[in-house]
Amino acid sequence: MARYKDYDGIARPVERVGETKSKAVNNLLEALRDRAQASRDGEILPDTKVVAVAEIYFAELDRSDKATRTKQDYRGAWKRYLQGPLANLRVREVRVSIVNRVLTSVRDKNGSSAAKQARAVLTAICALMVRHDALDDNPVREIESLGKKKNKSGKKPRLITGKNAGSALQLFRDSEDAARWDLVDVQEALSGLGCRIGELLALDWETSVDFDDGTIWIHGTVIRVTGVGLIVQDYTKSPAGMRRIRPPAWVMDILKRRYADATSPWCFPSSTGTLRDPDNTRKYIRRVVEGTPFQGLHPHDWRHYVIWRLDAAGLSAREIADYVGHDDPSTTQDVYMERGVVGEEAGAALTARPVVSA
């Protein structure tokens, strides 16, 4: 391991391994040489190693205004899925067939979500190669779809539907584990808010909930920062995610009940009253539903359910997007800054709570 001062003046650790100490040292020296070549005036050549290009990309990413979680996730995707098979290739060797083989392997071993994230990272790295004329075209753009296999209708079946949503919630109400892990209210709230799990866990009593007005201000998300721990990122996934909504009255009733017993500033805290970890919450949800018809339930399934409910109620795409915080490329710049209370009709459409079907 060594620290190398990149072209931007920041010293970063560089690490290589080998079967013996001398091989590890040689691998490290080779990596430093390639890095120096790629760093000189930001030059990327056909013979530059992919790992050196990746480091330049991540240096640019660090200076960008992208979310902290995105920066961490992209670095993690590179280390977990791409570094092994691609790091020692030369830029000129990055062909469509190799990219396709690597990404389909990630999909088959780790799932389509991991493959899509790896694809996003590799697309950006290869775009950097193209901008430096080291590649003529971005090979990632030519590969096949990385999605999961779909049913004959072309759509992935929804785990939560209008017919079984009540049964899913009842499963949590009847579960001692769900009660012990405080998952019942989490599931109930998600079924009425349709927000992301990180957004729900970032809600606090002081700034997020207005009982007098009957509204909720969603303006952050819980993330884990390496070396720091859990924090509330003071912005959401997209500008449109910064929203004040008027949810159905029964969601506000849940919050009122929790507020009456609250000893933490957070609406849905951990067992010790601190910020709650979204990853741990997902893990406990998986444990509750394991071996049931709802095995595989993810908090995002409630988001899809809420969108379906609102669509079935006849709301427009704009009204639905406002309520759940979906980004719209044509209006994002103006919408989140100028909206007042959004989701007026959405809250009314969700008035009836999910019930167990006969």
Side-chain angles (χ1 to χ4, degrees):
M1 179 181 290
R3 295 183 67 82
Y4 181 84
K5 182 176 289 188
D6 281 316
Y7 67 95
D8 59 358
I10 298 176
R12 295 181 175 87
V14 181
E15 180 181 357
R16 292 295 181 270
V17 298
E19 296 178 354
T20 65
K21 180 178 180 180
S22 61
K23 288 183 179 180
V25 170
N26 288 336
N27 290 341
L28 178 60
L29 291 173
E30 184 179 5
L32 294 174
R33 182 196 65 206
D34 292 333
R35 196 178 182 115
Q37 180 187 41
S39 297
R40 187 177 63 251
D41 297 327
E43 187 178 19
I44 297 173
L45 303 172
D47 282 328
T48 302
K49 282 196 174 182
V50 174
V51 65
V53 183
E55 290 302 330
I56 294 176
Y57 164 69
F58 285 117
E60 293 182 355
L61 182 66
D62 287 340
R63 296 193 301 271
S64 74
D65 60 357
K66 286 188 178 295
T68 302
R69 182 62 181 267
T70 298
K71 295 176 182 178
Q72 290 187 164
D73 288 347
Y74 278 19
R75 279 192 176 274
W78 164 257
K79 291 179 180 179
R80 286 192 297 272
Y81 311 128
L82 301 174
Q83 183 171 278
L86 295 176
N88 289 315
L89 292 180
R90 305 291 176 179
V91 169
R92 56 181 166 75
E93 297 173 325
V94 182
R95 302 180 182 275
V96 175
S97 59
I98 291 177
V99 168
N100 188 67
R101 185 159 60 246
V102 169
L103 292 180
T104 52
S105 176
V106 174
R107 180 196 61 193
D108 294 342
K109 294 179 180 178
N110 303 280
S112 61
S113 295
K116 289 176 182 177
Q117 188 175 70
R119 179 175 184 164
V121 174
L122 191 53
T123 297
I125 292 173
C126 289
L128 189 57
M129 300 173 186
V130 173
R131 292 202 299 274
H132 285 253
D133 295 322
L135 282 181
D136 292 331
D137 300 292
N138 193 324
V140 186
R141 301 191 185 282
E142 304 298 326
I143 67 170
E144 64 186 42
S145 170
L146 293 172
K148 295 179 180 178
K149 293 183 178 179
K150 299 179 180 179
N151 59 14
K152 293 182 179 179
S153 68
K155 295 182 179 179
K156 179 184 176 182
R158 287 184 288 108
L159 185 59
I160 301 296
T161 67
K163 292 184 178 180
N164 69 11
S167 298
L169 293 177
Q170 193 62 47
L171 172 67
F172 282 84
R173 295 170 190 146
D174 294 339
S175 168
E176 293 182 1
D177 285 338
R180 183 170 69 256
W181 295 325
D182 188 23
L183 293 177
V184 181
D185 286 349
V186 168
Q187 299 298 297
E188 299 267 8
L190 289 173
S191 73
L193 294 175
C195 60
R196 303 172 180 89
I197 184 64
E199 294 173 344
L200 182 75
L201 302 184
L203 296 180
D204 67 88
W205 299 119
E206 182 178 355
T207 66
S208 304
V209 183
D210 188 334
F211 290 120
D212 293 333
D213 195 35
T215 59
I216 295 176
W217 169 231
I218 297 176
H219 57 100
T221 187
V222 176
I223 64 169
R224 181 176 291 280
V225 177
T226 303
V228 177
L230 293 174
I231 66 166
V232 173
Q233 177 180 278
D234 59 358
Y235 50 91
T236 54
K237 185 176 181 180
S238 68
M242 306 285 281
R243 61 203 187 274
R244 187 177 299 278
I245 62 172
R246 193 181 305 281
W250 56 266
V251 171
M252 297 305 291
D253 288 340
I254 291 174
L255 291 172
K256 288 177 182 177
R257 170 171 50 78
R258 293 181 68 88
Y259 181 66
D261 299 327
T263 57
S264 167
W266 310 108
C267 299
F268 296 91
S270 70
S271 59
T272 58
T274 58
L275 273 176
R276 187 169 181 165
D277 190 336
D279 290 335
N280 285 342
T281 303
R282 296 186 191 98
K283 177 180 68 176
Y284 291 139
I285 290 173
R286 290 195 297 270
R287 290 184 181 179
V288 171
V289 300
E290 186 175 359
T292 75
F294 298 101
Q295 181 164 324
L297 179 69
H298 189 280
H300 225 66
D301 289 313
W302 290 113
R303 186 168 173 80
H304 292 296
Y305 164 76
V306 167
I307 293 171
W308 171 81
R309 281 279 305 272
L310 299 180
D311 184 42
L315 274 71
S316 69
R318 178 68 272 165
E319 290 173 313
I320 297 172
D322 280 346
Y323 190 74
V324 301
H326 271 163
D327 200 4
D328 184 338
S330 66
T331 59
T332 297
Q333 298 301 316
D334 299 324
V335 170
Y336 88 97
M337 293 295 295
E338 297 182 3
R339 282 178 299 172
V341 175
V342 299
E344 298 277 6
E345 297 299 325
L350 294 165
T351 296
R353 300 177 72 169
V355 295
V356 180
S357 300

